[in-house]
Amino acid sequence: MKAIKFLFSPFIFGLAFMGPLIAELIVLADLGLSSGTPLIVGLIIGGGLGLIAQARGSWIWVKPS
Amino acid sequence: MSEALSRTELETLSGPELDALERKIAGKYMHRIPWGAVAWGLGNLTVWLSLWPLVLLEILPIAWAFPIAVLTVALSYLPSHEAQHSIIAREGHPLRWLNELVGHLSVIPFAQPYRVLKATHMEHHAHTNNPELDPDYAVHAKDNWDFLKNSILRRQPGGAAQQAYGAALERVGKGNLLLDALAYNFVFLAVLCAMAWTGHAIEAALLWWLPKHIAQTYIQYYLSWAPHHPGIRQERYGQTRGFMSKAGNLLSMGMQYHIVHHLYPRIPLSSTPAAFHEMKDILEIRGCDIGQWADGSR
């Protein structure tokens, strides 16, 4: 059960889907990165957002009542 | 006008007489195979599926494909809804397989399992507007903006979006269907991630992930919130309301006449407007809130 919950967790979604998505958006927007590759930056942002969403129970900061 | 009887004449009829007349009208619209819904469900799925190769092969720009994807995902639920009520073909009918085929296939773009949708929807019909037992009760909100806020918050990781459905399935002894939901969620996530890690994250986001969220909001608004608002009556003639949508009947997905669907779920969606207008006076006498369709309110 814990493995299933982890699989569908915001952290996994942030890392596995949002990370590459953010990387593609960085490339598309032609953002010049001072350090790191778009994928690394995407994974850090996506994974970070996922962790925050997991901790707060919300992707949009506002907690569901 | 009902069976050529005027409103005044209808008001003189007894309860059982009104009931018989209402059922007679409803009967005229039932037992028809909604071939339009069959074509809609399978055709809509074909269009949505075709977007993927068209976009990946760079035949269709993603900017054009995105609105089509939103439209097709939004349109994917209703054909399955016809199947959930066995409107296409009842059990034992030679075309029962088609009913189940449309039910299962049409909702693929919506990434929801037919059997879960069917079981929970039957609970919605059985317990409409019951705070404890209606799986769709949490959609109720005081106005449009409150609905939107509620809809977005409920699907957050800590929200209660799926809890009511899971509880309803457990309550009716169909907890095993949660495996369907798990499998669908897994495939949805796996496709998104596989696309993302092969360099197609934007395509996955704009063909499935974002359209699904937009469609979910749209479907919840027109199928759950609008026709059941304010959601305080639970009796047969008070569960739903008639309303006149500024978006028109097509864009409001035929839900202006949802009263007819709750009273006679076997009437196909395409026939609910005609059935509603034919039994409108009876419904009003019965205590239905027919909204702006009432003669005096226009």
Side-chain angles (χ1 to χ4, degrees):
Chain A
M1 197 63 185
K2 277 187 177 176
I4 292 172
K5 276 191 174 176
F6 181 69
L7 180 68
F8 294 110
S9 67
F11 175 64
I12 292 296
F13 186 80
L15 202 66
F17 179 62
M18 290 189 69
L21 176 63
I22 292 166
E24 282 188 30
L25 292 173
I26 289 171
V27 173
L28 190 71
D30 201 17
L31 295 179
L33 299 174
S34 54
S35 63
T37 64
L39 184 59
I40 297 294
V41 174
L43 289 175
I44 291 169
I45 296 173
L49 287 173
L51 274 179
I52 294 169
Q54 193 148 335
R56 286 193 64 82
S58 174
W59 285 99
I60 53 172
W61 194 255
V62 182
K63 286 184 178 180
S65 53
Chain B
M1 194 65 68
S2 303
E3 292 285 296
L5 292 180
S6 69
R7 172 68 182 254
T8 314
E9 288 169 323
L10 283 171
E11 284 171 350
T12 63
L13 298 180
S14 66
E17 285 171 331
L18 275 176
D19 194 45
L21 192 52
E22 183 190 305
R23 288 176 191 279
K24 191 177 173 187
I25 295 168
K28 283 166 48 181
Y29 296 97
M30 288 192 272
H31 313 299
R32 300 171 175 182
I33 298 175
W35 289 108
V38 173
W40 167 4
L42 301 180
N44 187 65
L45 172 67
T46 307
V47 172
W48 180 76
L49 287 174
S50 69
L51 291 175
W52 295 81
L54 287 173
V55 167
L56 294 177
L57 295 172
E58 298 183 0
I59 297 168
L60 186 69
I62 188 66
W64 290 18
F66 172 59
I68 300 172
V70 172
L71 187 69
T72 49
V73 179
L75 289 174
S76 68
Y77 178 74
L78 280 172
S80 168
H81 179 249
E82 300 279 271
Q84 287 167 34
H85 287 286
S86 299
I87 294 173
I88 298 167
R90 293 177 182 216
E91 278 186 44
H93 190 283
L95 288 176
R96 179 65 179 174
W97 64 271
L98 184 62
N99 187 85
E100 298 305 279
L101 186 78
V102 172
H104 281 285
L105 293 185
S106 66
V107 273
I108 286 175
F110 199 39
Q112 300 279 338
Y114 168 61
R115 296 197 304 173
V116 169
L117 292 173
K118 180 176 179 175
T120 52
H121 189 61
M122 292 306 119
E123 281 299 284
H124 161 68
H125 272 264
H127 307 290
T128 308
N129 297 339
N130 182 317
E132 306 295 327
L133 301 175
D134 181 355
D136 293 335
Y137 187 80
V139 169
H140 292 304
K142 67 178 188 290
D143 54 35
N144 293 343
W145 287 110
D146 201 45
F147 159 80
L148 185 61
K149 188 186 84 176
N150 188 24
S151 175
I152 292 169
L153 285 178
R154 281 190 312 113
R155 77 185 78 158
Q156 296 307 311
Q162 302 303 326
Q163 288 172 15
Y165 276 30
L169 290 175
E170 296 284 3
R171 197 171 55 241
V172 297
K174 293 183 176 175
N176 60 311
L177 294 184
L178 288 169
L179 288 174
D180 287 23
L182 199 65
Y184 269 66
N185 280 332
F186 178 76
V187 171
F188 179 59
L189 185 65
V191 170
L192 292 183
C193 294
M195 292 284 293
W197 284 92
T198 51
H200 303 292
I202 292 175
E203 289 86 344
L206 295 182
L207 290 180
W208 208 0
W209 178 66
L210 194 52
K212 181 179 182 288
H213 279 288
I214 295 171
Q216 194 172 338
T217 308
Y218 191 72
I219 289 169
Q220 279 180 355
Y221 181 80
Y222 274 120
L223 272 72
S224 287
W225 184 81
H228 300 100
H229 183 68
I232 49 177
R233 293 172 63 186
Q234 295 180 32
E235 77 278 14
R236 177 172 166 81
Y237 291 98
Q239 296 173 347
T240 56
R241 62 165 183 157
F243 65 98
M244 206 178 274
S245 173
K246 288 175 184 168
N249 196 45
L250 281 180
L251 287 179
S252 60
M253 305 177 115
M255 292 301 119
Q256 298 177 122
Y257 312 104
H258 200 59
I259 288 176
V260 170
H261 171 64
H262 267 255
L263 294 174
Y264 299 98
R266 286 269 168 85
I267 294 180
L269 176 69
S270 57
S271 297
T272 55
F276 174 85
H277 287 294
E278 195 168 344
M279 63 174 72
K280 189 183 76 169
D281 287 342
I282 297 174
L283 298 178
E284 213 174 356
I285 293 168
R286 289 292 202 178
C288 287
D289 172 9
I290 63 168
Q292 300 98 314
W293 296 111
D295 291 333
S297 68
R298 275 181 286 165

